[in-house]
Amino acid sequence: MVDQSELNRLFWQSRRGMLELDVLLVPFVKEVYPGLDEADQQRYRKLLSCEDQDLFGWFMQRGEPEDEDLRRMVRMILDRVQPQ
């Protein structure tokens, strides 16, 4: 179970001030994050520590993170909005 104060903190960290990132990250943290297992929650928190320009490039599919954990999380977020 995810603590409400943690969700609030993650919500504000997910608001990046760049619309393209906000529309991906904010709904993800609200709707998906609470149901993730601990390992994926940790991956999401790790993703939030990345620079906005890196996130933007990954989500616009101009590149992929070298880190496997970050790559998994980017793919999970993209798959949610671009179902195969």
Side-chain angles (χ1 to χ4, degrees), residues 1-2 13 18 31 39 43 51 64 68 70 73 82:
M1 175 115 181
V2 180
Q13 288 179 337
M18 184 183 291
E31 300 164 11
R43 287 180 185 104
E51 296 290 328
E64 288 188 332
E68 184 180 329
L70 296 176
M73 192 52 49
Q82 301 172 339

Side-chain angles (χ1 to χ4, degrees), residues 3-4 7 9 13 15 29 36-37 40 49 77-78:
D3 178 84
Q4 187 60 45
L7 274 178
R9 182 178 53 79
Q13 288 179 337
R15 295 200 58 198
V29 79
L36 296 176
D37 61 34
D40 281 337
S49 70
I77 294 168
L78 285 175

Side-chain angles (χ1 to χ4, degrees), residues 1-11 28-38 40-42 44-45:
M1 175 115 181
V2 180
D3 178 84
Q4 187 60 45
S5 63
E6 178 187 359
L7 274 178
N8 290 341
R9 182 178 53 79
L10 289 169
F11 170 81
F28 186 86
V29 79
K30 284 179 162 181
E31 300 164 11
V32 179
Y33 181 88
L36 296 176
D37 61 34
E38 179 58 37
D40 281 337
Q41 288 180 352
Q42 186 174 2
Y44 185 77
R45 292 189 301 268

Side-chain angles (χ1 to χ4, degrees), residues 18-74:
M18 184 183 291
L19 181 61
E20 295 86 351
L21 297 178
D22 290 353
V23 298
L24 293 171
L25 297 177
V26 170
F28 186 86
V29 79
K30 284 179 162 181
E31 300 164 11
V32 179
Y33 181 88
L36 296 176
D37 61 34
E38 179 58 37
D40 281 337
Q41 288 180 352
Q42 186 174 2
R43 287 180 185 104
Y44 185 77
R45 292 189 301 268
K46 183 177 180 179
L47 183 74
L48 291 179
S49 70
C50 296
E51 296 290 328
D52 288 356
Q53 291 305 314
D54 291 333
L55 293 172
F56 181 78
W58 299 334
F59 288 125
M60 297 302 115
Q61 300 178 341
R62 295 181 181 152
E64 288 188 332
E66 291 180 18
D67 183 283
E68 184 180 329
D69 288 338
L70 296 176
R71 197 166 41 246
R72 172 180 165 76
M73 192 52 49
V74 167

